[in-house]
Amino acid sequence: MEAAAAPSRNVRVSAASPPSGRGEKSLPESRQVYMDYNATTPLEPEVIQAMTEAMREAWGNPSSPYPAGRKAKDIINAARENLAKMIGGKPQDIIFTSGGTESNNLVIHSVVKHFHKIHTSERDAAEHHSPAEGATPHFVTCTVEHDSIRLPLEHLVKEHVAAVTFVPVSKVNGQAEVDDILAAVRPTTCLVTIMLANNETGVIMPVPEISQRIKALNQRRAAAGLPLILLHTDAAQALGKTRVDVEDLGVDFLTIVGHKFYGPRIGALYVRGLGELTPLYPMLFGGGQERNFRPGTENTPMIAGLGKAAELVAENCEAYEAHMRDVRDYLEQRLLAEFDKKRIHLNSQFPGTERLPNTCNFSIRGPQLQGRLVLAQCRTLLASVGAACHSDHGDRPSPVLLSCGIPFDVARNALRLSVGRSTTRAEVDLVVQDLKQAVARLEGQA
């Protein structure tokens, strides 16, 4: 998923506890303020403690019978339960992975294998031919997905293994429209994969509505002998910022990424009715861990940290969300107040569309104010122009913003600020002042 360095030790970033009751203090001008929490988050102290204790006390192989091994197995089981509680699922439906990229690839490759398996079985067992027989599996996704969805699908197309429809998002609301998703479905469609929330705009996608429509469609497809359509959502950006419940979403697969909610850089995959209702096929083969779906000796300390991070989200998500929304809204108010309103374009605000509580994507209009140039002039703000995984794209505007209908010259100037659990209004004031001075230097007014 998005890769970015955690705040360095000389940058004062508090990631510790829920922010309720914190007082605002005056801050030194030399302080740097981290606002790139959509790229990565620092570890909560409780997460570090859980990982440290696991390294010290649960160093044994989780498959071993002696105390250190049993302790490791207990930690892994507890973490699985915490992850399930965080998303409203069942522990037996959680598989630990190395991260979001592996989880997303695991879903895509599993669905391809399952498509071929069911059609081979039908050809061997049935006298009539399936309407989808001899065809390649078809995927439906949207144009603003993370690269760990887009690139595997593009690779499958290049290798003539699958067909893919990339549905454009609406230029009115920044969302993948439900009707457009359903219109893209073919007889050979086997998976719809739509992110839960976009990492650059924060726009939340209508996954529950997509799920309801697919469920109704699947009833008709089953009667026609067509493959059922599975639904996957990459929930990397939503977890820890807003409530996520797999029952409300109605998804078959959901991707979990630890370093987006103050956990370590591993992940997990939720699979509804793993191996029974919903198929999953391993990409790796080895010692049988994770019920053979993801073999390899479990990384107990990282799993311990992931479980603790999930526990904190389950307990505090409402407080986290309320705090981040307050600070983000204050940030946007200050930007509009300090800059001419005609100069500020809030790229992530779409009328009537819900978005993540922590994300502010905006542009300061001006021919010399490309996002990278502004950031280079900033002395306090640590942020990005968009997805950290696209950091080598130079001054090319974000394809996500262009897909959402943001004009080229505005998108080129975009900055993505994402606040965290401990970001304060005082830090917002510092950042806005820093941006004003950076713009003044670039325009030669300083």
Side-chain angles (χ1 to χ4, degrees):
M1 310 299 283
E2 291 190 55
S8 59
R9 291 184 179 180
N10 61 347
V11 180
R12 288 180 55 199
V13 178
S14 172
S17 53
S20 55
R22 258 188 92 149
E24 300 284 346
K25 298 180 180 179
S26 59
L27 300 169
E29 296 241 355
S30 60
R31 177 175 179 180
Q32 289 186 299
V33 178
Y34 183 75
M35 286 194 179
D36 207 15
Y37 289 91
N38 281 6
T40 202
T41 55
L43 296 173
E44 286 278 14
E46 296 96 326
V47 171
I48 296 172
Q49 181 180 355
M51 295 170 66
T52 302
E53 289 177 358
M55 283 186 275
R56 182 185 303 115
E57 301 172 10
W59 50 266
N61 191 310
S63 299
S64 300
Y66 38 78
R70 291 198 302 270
K71 176 72 171 176
K73 179 62 74 175
D74 289 343
I75 286 173
I76 292 168
N77 290 338
R80 206 184 306 274
E81 291 177 2
N82 282 329
L83 285 167
K85 183 177 180 181
M86 177 178 69
I87 63 170
K90 298 177 181 178
Q92 62 267 31
D93 291 341
I94 300 290
I95 292 292
F96 293 109
T97 68
S98 64
T101 294
E102 181 187 337
S103 294
N104 288 344
N105 276 261
L106 183 55
V107 170
I108 290 168
H109 289 287
S110 288
V111 170
V112 170
K113 290 181 181 179
H114 187 65
F115 180 92
H116 291 301
K117 180 178 180 179
I118 60 175
H119 290 299
T120 298
S121 299
E122 286 176 359
R123 185 172 61 247
D124 292 342
E127 294 181 1
H128 66 279
H129 293 300
S130 164
E133 185 181 321
T136 55
H138 174 246
F139 294 78
V140 177
T141 188
C142 71
T143 53
V144 299
E145 291 291 322
H146 190 271
D147 278 356
S148 59
I149 291 290
R150 180 180 63 84
L151 293 178
L153 291 176
E154 288 180 349
H155 177 75
L156 292 178
V157 171
K158 183 179 179 180
E159 297 294 318
H160 307 288
V161 174
V164 181
T165 299
F166 291 91
V167 176
V169 295
S170 167
K171 290 179 168 52
V172 176
N173 59 29
Q175 291 181 323
E177 297 275 25
V178 179
D179 287 342
D180 293 342
I181 295 294
L182 271 293
V185 168
R186 303 176 186 174
T188 53
T189 301
C190 52
L191 182 74
V192 171
T193 174
I194 301 293
M195 62 181 12
L196 188 50
N198 185 263
N199 47 323
E200 294 191 39
T201 64
V203 167
I204 296 175
M205 300 295 178
V207 174
E209 292 83 358
I210 295 171
S211 170
Q212 292 167 8
R213 294 281 295 277
I214 288 177
K215 184 177 181 180
L217 177 60
N218 274 339
Q219 293 178 348
R220 301 193 294 272
R221 288 173 69 92
L226 295 174
L228 298 183
I229 300 170
L230 297 169
L231 178 60
H232 167 249
T233 191
D234 180 347
Q237 288 296 338
L239 288 167
K241 300 167 188 169
T242 190
R243 180 176 174 270
V244 175
D245 188 290
V246 292
E247 294 304 319
D248 292 344
L249 295 173
V251 293
D252 301 295
F253 304 98
L254 182 139
T255 293
I256 298 168
V257 182
H259 75 99
K260 304 297 188 181
F261 56 95
Y262 293 74
R265 288 180 184 171
I266 63 165
L269 178 66
Y270 164 82
V271 185
R272 181 183 299 275
L274 174 61
E276 297 177 2
L277 296 176
T278 307
L280 193 72
Y281 295 81
M283 292 194 297
L284 304 174
F285 299 88
Q289 294 85 353
E290 293 298 284
R291 288 159 286 167
N292 275 316
F293 292 111
R294 207 288 185 181
T297 303
E298 300 92 336
N299 191 339
T300 307
M302 298 289 270
I303 291 173
L306 185 65
K308 176 55 71 171
E311 181 183 0
L312 292 172
V313 169
E315 293 175 352
N316 301 300
C317 190
E318 288 186 5
Y320 295 156
E321 180 175 5
H323 172 77
M324 287 187 283
R325 189 182 306 279
D326 175 77
V327 175
R328 191 275 314 276
D329 290 349
Y330 179 70
L331 168 63
E332 293 181 345
Q333 293 166 11
R334 294 285 291 115
L335 286 170
L336 291 171
E338 290 298 326
F339 292 91
D340 188 322
K341 289 188 178 181
K342 294 180 179 179
R343 298 196 73 189
I344 288 287
H345 188 276
L346 297 175
N347 304 321
S348 52
Q349 282 194 5
F350 295 90
T353 300
E354 187 180 359
R355 58 178 170 144
L356 294 176
N358 78 318
T359 305
C360 170
N361 194 309
F362 69 98
S363 298
I364 306 172
R365 298 178 188 268
Q368 301 166 300
L369 303 181
Q370 288 88 350
R372 293 184 186 280
L373 298 180
V374 173
L375 281 181
Q377 288 290 327
C378 287
R379 297 170 182 173
T380 298
L381 173 63
L382 300 176
S384 65
V385 298
C389 359
H390 297 158
S391 58
D392 59 349
H393 281 199
D395 285 330
R396 286 177 289 168
S398 161
V400 168
L401 295 183
L402 295 177
S403 295
C404 294
I406 305 300
F408 184 95
D409 60 332
V410 176
R412 187 178 55 178
N413 288 16
L415 295 171
R416 180 190 69 176
L417 273 56
S418 45
V419 303
R421 298 173 184 176
S422 59
T423 309
T424 66
R425 288 189 171 207
E427 289 175 320
V428 167
D429 291 337
L430 275 180
V431 162
V432 172
Q433 185 63 28
D434 191 34
L435 286 167
K436 285 184 64 178
Q437 293 171 354
V439 168
R441 283 191 288 271
L442 286 171
E443 293 184 331
Q445 297 173 3

